[in-house]
Amino acid sequence: MSAIKLIGVFLISYPLTALLKRLPDNRPDLKNLFSIFTSLFFLLGLFSLWDGVFTLLVASTVTYALALYVHHPLMPWLGFTFLMLHMSIGHINRQFFAAADTFDITGAQMVLVMKLSAFCWNVRDGRTPEAELADVQKERALKTLPSLLDYAGYVLFFPALFAGPAFDYIDYKNWLSTEMFSAPPNTPKELLPPTRKKRRIPRSGTPAMIKLVTGLTWLGLFMYFSARYNPKAILSPAFTSQSLPRRLLSLHLLGLTTRLKYYAVWTLTEGACILSGLGLSPTVTPTTPPTYSYTWNRLQNISPLALETARNTRGYLDAWNMGTNRWLRNYVYLRVTPRGQKPGFRASLATFATSAFWHGFYPGYYLAFILAAFLQTLAKMVRRQVRPLFVPPVTKPNASAKILYDVLSWLATQLAFSFAVSAFILLKLEDVLFVWRAVWFYAPLGTGIGLAVLGNKKVKKWLKKRSEAGDRPGVKRSASVESMGGGAMGVPSDPSWVADEVVREARERVEMEMETRRRKAKGSEVKGAS
């Protein structure tokens, strides 16, 4: 029943967002109030989540108070720590005490954690000299705190309340003030998005309806496949009685069916945000006259085609939960790294821990993350050592070999993640091990064998003789683990690199400590001589 209500919320958000969009551009207070009362109607009128409203109130109030009264550089970390611990209460309650089919506020709280922790950093960046900020941090910085009404509107923006997408306060501010829709004065009118009458928010009905129809299509496919491919079916004796190829297919279809649900939800909520105008993503090139272009993908959270056709771990993870990837990179991975230094072990470990903790405490989450980390390592080794055998130099093109490599890479990636994702779906340790045992632990065993073989010096030497190491000029690169800027979804890009970083940082600390002691000893000698 709760699931039907939730789908109803996503659908009714479209006409309500159309009303929100039509409120006067010069009345941001009306937009805030409309959004706040709509969210309260959803939470209280439809779901009776009184405790959920209290949970969101506590999280948003404490965060605003920290931003207002605490001017210490550690303020964002205080806010982050509070929000994560506060959210963990909901995770623990859901895992150990609530009924399995209970609908609670946890999903909305996970979205709010991303928004509010980012808000803390944006406030701190506004108090930091611009010379110390990266370009993206300057763009997101808040010089002044928003009013309580604007802040409440941001917290309770109803099109993205239950399932996201998460976005920074500066996006909401620019949408509220319609600054988001400004273009340079000399921009040709034909380059601008069309508007209706005197309204500044562009017409976005067509892209929003495309998302609505696409989301409903994903939902229909999920309802069709979920009758057959679901956790209950995969844990039944009938699953183990199937042949191994059939079990592998069932495992893959379980993951696909689960993804269809998320494709539906995230596409529907993105469409409502597009209808509001918040999904606009303009690009301005400072030329004469300026070049202006735009898309509606500012809040895109999923790329189904990219994920289902991914040929490596980077492409797979980058196409999934894109908003969370952005949050982890901008507000954990890069924030842990001291200014002027490159991200290292601490950044990777903090990102990995944050992502796992943010999802909850079921063992399945952690098994999936750990396995995915080793899959990334193997994928990088395969790309460096094996790919050159299939992708020769442009002087000796071999399209058939390249196609074969792409097909095998796609098959290996999809099979590996079908195995890993099952832990995310089943969650409980005994259920995960039951299914993994039924398919002979093929992913961890294959990964271990692959790492051992490709890590062998003789094999490396033989592969190097067969072909030059690295990519070939003229061959178009796909997204790969080597192009990573921090692990997607918090997954470390290379556990062996992490271990090397531990050793490197420990060595540096020891050397710094020894250097400090030498300087102190030298200073004491100088004083004694004088």
Side-chain angles (χ1 to χ4, degrees), residues 91 110 321 324 354-361 365 369 424 489:
H91 280 317
M110 292 172 70
N321 208 349
T324 302
T354 298
S355 184
F357 198 86
W358 180 77
H359 280 91
F361 304 109
Y365 293 139
F369 272 113
F424 248 79
M489 288 300 295

Side-chain angles (χ1 to χ4, degrees), residues 83-84 87 109-117 327 358:
L83 290 166
M84 294 292 283
M87 181 181 61
Q109 192 177 9
M110 292 172 70
V111 175
L112 192 61
V113 165
M114 290 191 284
K115 293 169 69 174
L116 295 185
S117 59
W327 172 65
W358 180 77

